[in-house]
Amino acid sequence: MSSKVILQVNELKKHFNLGKGRNLKAVDDVSFDVYQGETFGLVGESGCGKSTIGRTIMGLYNRTDGQVSYGGKDVHELDEQEKFKFYRNMQMIFQDPYASLNPRSTVGEIISEPMIVHDLYPDKKKRMERVYQLLEEVGLNRDHATRYPHEFSGGQRQRIGVARALALDPDFIIADEPISALDVSVQAQVVNLLERLQEEKGLTYLFIAHDLSMVRHISDRIGVMYLGHLVELTDSDSLYENPKHPYTQALLSAIPIPDPDVEESRERVILEGELPSPIDPPSGCVFRTRCPMAMEACATTKPVWQAVDDNHFVACHLYNDDIKDKTPIKHKPKQLN
Ligand code: SF4
C-alpha cells in the first residue's frame, strides 16, 4: 500500500426521493480516502448504504451532495471522454455472479465485451488470446471460453466476473459483496484469488461486505457503516482488537470464536431492536435506538467524527470530552414523581 490517495470520498450524500415528501437517506455525510494498492473494507448490515456508496463512486447513481474524486478528478463532473477513461480504470465485481452474467452469451463473449466497447484488441484473434490469458489468471482454462454461465458453479461464475472486471486492465476494483452468495468453502478461494491478483497487478480494492470475519483477512483498513453513516474507521487489526464504537463491538461479539473456553467466557453485546428506517432516522446519533451505552446527549446531538488513536476514527459521544454526563440511560435511576 502506498501513501498516495487514489480515491477521496468527501461528505458524500445519496438520498432517494420517494415522493410525498419522503426522502430515503441511503448515504449521509460519508468521508474516507482510499490509498493506492490497499484494500479498503466497507462493512455493515444490509441496508446500511455500503452498496449505494459503491454505486455512487462508480457514477451509477448521481450524488445528492459531496464529492467523489478519483485521481484528483470529481467523477461526477467528468466529460464523456474522461468518463470513458475512468470506466477503464475502475471496474466492479457484483454480489450475484449469475445475475451479472448474460446467460445467452458465452464466457468468451462476456469477457470480450468490455474490450470491444473500449476498442482494445480490435483483432479478434488477439482479443481471444487475451480472453484465454484472463481465464487462466483467474484459475479457469481456455476451454471454458465457449461455454455458458449456467454450466459453471457459483465460485467459477465469480471467477468469470473477476476475469471480466480485469479485461480492461483497471487500477481500481469495487467488489460489492463478491463472496456473500457463495458457499463458505468457496469464499476463501475467491478471497485468495483477489489477493493474488492484487499482488500481481498492484490493484486497489474497495471491498464491500456484511461479514466482518471475512473482511478482516483481505482488508488493510476497514470502515464500519450504520444507517447511511460511517461510524468507525481504522486498520484491520485495531478494529478487531480494539473496537471503539458500540456498534462495531456488537458486530464483533456476534462472530463465534473457534475456542470453546474463550467462547464461553466472552461477553456478548446483543443488539436490541430492528435497524430503523433510513426514511425516518433517529435524531442525534442514528445508532441510539439500539445502543446499550446511549446517554441523554445521544438523542439531541449528532456525534462528531474524531480521532481516538493514530489512524483510528470514530463517531460516538463516549469519546467526546465535551459531553460530561455519559451515564447510559438504561442504568440511570428512575425518577420518582
Ligand atoms: Fe451509542 Fe451514543 Fe455513541 Fe451513538 S453516540 S454510539 S448512541 S453512545
Side-chain angles (χ1 to χ4, degrees):
M1 177 172 98
S2 82
S3 56
K4 185 179 163 198
V5 172
I6 187 167
L7 175 79
Q8 261 184 315
V9 176
N10 188 24
E11 296 180 4
L12 185 66
K13 285 187 187 179
K14 177 62 199 171
H15 298 177
F16 294 95
N17 185 349
L18 304 179
K20 296 184 181 163
R22 294 184 317 152
N23 217 9
L24 189 150
K25 296 177 178 174
V27 177
D28 217 16
D29 258 333
V30 169
S31 303
F32 61 88
D33 293 340
V34 179
Y35 297 100
Q36 193 163 39
E38 81 165 326
T39 298
F40 185 92
L42 206 50
V43 296
E45 288 164 286
S46 106
C48 71
K50 54 196 190 306
S51 292
T52 305
I53 289 188
R55 287 177 158 78
T56 313
I57 290 172
M58 276 297 279
L60 302 177
Y61 292 149
N62 288 326
R63 61 175 167 200
T64 302
D65 204 356
Q67 285 91 36
V68 178
S69 304
Y70 181 75
K73 288 200 165 176
D74 188 331
V75 305
H76 294 101
E77 300 284 339
L78 301 176
D79 61 31
E80 285 309 309
Q81 213 180 346
E82 288 170 326
K83 252 188 215 166
F84 201 66
K85 201 170 153 212
F86 170 68
Y87 286 123
R88 231 187 111 163
N89 285 330
M90 188 176 285
Q91 289 288 309
M92 202 153 178
I93 302 171
F94 297 92
Q95 173 178 8
D96 183 348
Y98 197 57
S100 67
L101 303 174
N102 184 347
R104 278 187 284 276
S105 298
T106 63
V107 167
E109 287 164 349
I110 288 168
I111 300 174
S112 308
E113 196 194 351
M115 295 188 239
I116 295 168
V117 171
H118 283 259
D119 206 17
L120 277 184
Y121 303 97
D123 178 76
K124 192 174 175 198
K125 200 163 164 247
K126 288 203 174 119
R127 193 161 65 237
M128 285 316 291
E129 277 310 316
R130 174 73 178 140
V131 169
Y132 300 145
Q133 187 193 2
L134 286 163
L135 283 170
E136 278 159 16
E137 279 180 7
V138 299
L140 297 170
N141 65 59
R142 55 169 56 212
D143 296 341
H144 290 137
T146 53
R147 301 215 207 142
Y148 290 85
H150 73 267
E151 297 177 61
F152 294 88
S153 67
Q156 285 175 319
R157 284 200 283 260
Q158 196 52 290
R159 287 174 191 269
I160 297 165
V162 173
R164 179 180 54 186
L166 293 175
L168 300 177
D169 211 5
D171 296 324
F172 196 111
I173 290 183
I174 297 180
D176 186 6
E177 303 245 19
I179 53 171
S180 311
L182 304 176
D183 285 349
V184 177
S185 57
V186 182
Q187 289 183 346
Q189 293 170 15
V190 174
V191 165
N192 290 343
L193 169 69
L194 291 172
E195 283 182 323
R196 175 171 61 75
L197 291 169
Q198 180 173 48
E199 226 172 275
E200 287 170 10
K201 296 174 184 290
L203 291 162
T204 307
Y205 292 141
L206 175 65
F207 193 94
I208 298 169
H210 65 266
D211 181 349
L212 259 167
S213 54
M214 193 51 86
V215 132
R216 178 178 194 173
H217 296 292
I218 192 164
S219 304
D220 295 294
R221 291 184 308 138
I222 297 176
V224 180
M225 285 197 68
Y226 183 82
L227 210 65
H229 294 72
L230 198 59
V231 297
E232 184 159 7
L233 193 169
T234 186
D235 62 84
S236 213
D237 289 342
S238 303
L239 192 85
Y240 285 83
E241 280 153 26
N242 193 13
K244 299 286 187 192
H245 196 281
Y247 178 57
T248 316
Q249 290 167 355
L251 285 182
L252 285 171
S253 86
I255 300 175
I257 292 178
D259 178 333
D261 294 336
V262 179
E263 187 64 17
E264 207 180 11
S265 61
R266 279 170 91 202
E267 211 181 303
R268 278 251 152 77
V269 185
I270 308 286
L271 281 186
E272 288 171 9
E274 297 288 311
L275 189 70
S277 165
I279 299 171
D280 186 20
S283 60
C285 173
V286 286
F287 185 53
R288 73 175 167 83
T289 52
R290 299 170 81 194
C291 179
M293 307 302 290
M295 53 196 104
E296 271 164 15
C298 304
T300 53
T301 314
K302 195 176 164 179
V304 289
W305 184 244
Q306 62 183 99
V308 285
D309 220 329
D310 276 354
N311 300 315
H312 196 155
F313 301 87
V314 68
C316 173
H317 292 321
L318 289 171
Y319 307 94
N320 183 348
D321 292 338
D322 294 338
I323 308 252
K324 300 296 176 214
D325 181 6
K326 295 198 167 84
T327 320
I329 293 169
K330 283 189 172 169
H331 302 154
K332 276 200 170 176
K334 285 213 167 61
Q335 277 185 358
L336 296 172
N337 289 325

